[in-house]
Amino acid sequence: MVSAPHHQHHLPAAAIDKIRSISGNDVCMDCGGAEPDWGDVLHGSLHCIQCAGQHRALGVSVSFCRSLTMDNWTEANLLAMLLGGNRQLKAFFTRQRIANSSVDVLYGSRPAAYYREQLAKQVDQLLAKRRSRENSREEVKEEPDEDAAEDAEDDADSRTPRHQGVRSQSAPASAATRPRRRRRAEVVDYDAEILDAELGASLARALPPPGWTCPGKSMALVTKVRSSGAAFRTGFRVGDYVVAMNGRPVADYDEFVRLFPRAQRPTRLTMRRFRVVVVDDDGGSSSSEVEHKEKGPGDDDDQDDDEEVLCFKIDF
């Protein structure tokens, strides 16, 4: 079971390592000092102890810093850090042309307030998804196993004694004679020509589904498609991945975020869609797209094969 969002615990070593591995988190967000150890959970950023002291003077509604090693953390705190990152926040401030401001002016600005608001919304959405998924799993556990019930009924029928003058009904086909179903993963690549300056979709840093290799540290996953945008017109779907731009492979999510806004239009994107095909022995088949799932903070790698979204969604 997933812990409640307001329960507080010390961060496990694996969670600290994951936070530190996010792009830009190797140095302090404000001064560039090495090995920052304090996380601002309202911005998803890492800071050194000196800069964290400056953040305390801003007030907890503007900045709320926690020690990675000494303080207790809630699930929401950890999700904010996994969705954020120093490089992403710094790029946002740069686009807003306030990156060179002092700490009090920078984090007290309207763009910073907007960033905090959007990050908090993403955290709330992920928490709601995790609660819904956990509730669904509990419901599944409580439902009776229909196949097991059928097998038990068949077994009971086969043991029913035949009385004289009564013709017994033929038993249903056993599980051994039913068509076997096999699942096979497929990948479909397609090209999309983007003419507009904006993509019209939200992307997130993610890993591919289990069993598929990642060309770099991460991939750009489509998490939302606006019906009025270029992505919708060119066939994007939620769950698709960006694998190349103008014929050049995209190494990771951060590279795409950096290059796409500056790319000359039209821009040709190569997208990848993962599907699961279910094949019966009798030749029948059906397919469905792979559902992209997030791995929650604190989940151990050996608990399941769900991959995680590790970056705050950004609209293009």
Side-chain angles (χ1 to χ4, degrees), residues 23-157:
S23 183
N25 284 4
D26 55 330
V27 296
C28 174
M29 169 67 195
D30 298 325
C31 70
E35 299 182 357
D37 202 35
W38 291 78
D40 179 356
V41 298
L42 299 187
H43 297 91
S45 51
L46 271 185
H47 306 264
C48 66
I49 189 170
Q50 289 81 8
C51 292
Q54 297 182 50
H55 277 246
R56 289 197 190 93
L58 303 177
V60 294
S61 63
V62 175
S63 178
F64 186 57
C65 290
R66 312 292 292 167
S67 169
L68 295 182
T69 56
M70 294 184 293
D71 289 330
N72 288 328
W73 288 62
T74 66
E75 182 181 358
N77 294 160
L78 181 51
L79 275 175
M81 298 302 298
L82 296 178
L83 288 167
N86 287 1
R87 180 173 180 175
Q88 179 176 266
L89 180 59
K90 190 167 295 184
F92 173 80
F93 285 152
T94 299
R95 290 195 298 272
Q96 301 300 319
R97 300 180 180 178
I98 58 174
N100 296 324
S101 304
S102 61
V103 167
D104 57 337
V105 173
L106 183 63
Y107 294 97
S109 65
R110 291 181 61 185
Y114 171 79
Y115 190 94
R116 291 193 295 271
E117 177 185 350
Q118 296 303 311
L119 179 57
K121 286 182 179 179
Q122 294 294 330
V123 170
D124 289 342
Q125 289 176 10
L126 280 181
L127 286 174
K129 286 181 180 179
R130 287 169 58 76
R131 299 294 163 261
S132 176
R133 190 160 68 240
E134 287 299 320
N135 291 337
S136 298
R137 289 174 180 171
E138 290 298 321
E139 290 174 1
V140 169
K141 290 179 181 178
E142 294 174 1
E143 291 177 358
D145 189 336
E146 295 181 359
D147 291 339
E150 291 179 1
D151 291 342
E153 183 179 348
D154 295 346
D155 187 51
D157 289 342

Side-chain angles (χ1 to χ4, degrees), residues 191 241-250 256 268-271:
D191 288 337
Y241 293 80
V242 182
V243 294
M245 184 165 58
N246 293 327
R248 179 177 176 271
V250 176
F256 178 78
R268 179 168 56 89
L269 299 181
T270 301
M271 309 298 297

Side-chain angles (χ1 to χ4, degrees), residues 148-174:
E150 291 179 1
D151 291 342
E153 183 179 348
D154 295 346
D155 187 51
D157 289 342
S158 66
R159 294 197 302 269
T160 301
R162 298 184 181 183
H163 299 284
Q164 187 175 3
V166 179
R167 183 180 179 182
S168 64
Q169 297 180 348
S170 58
S174 65

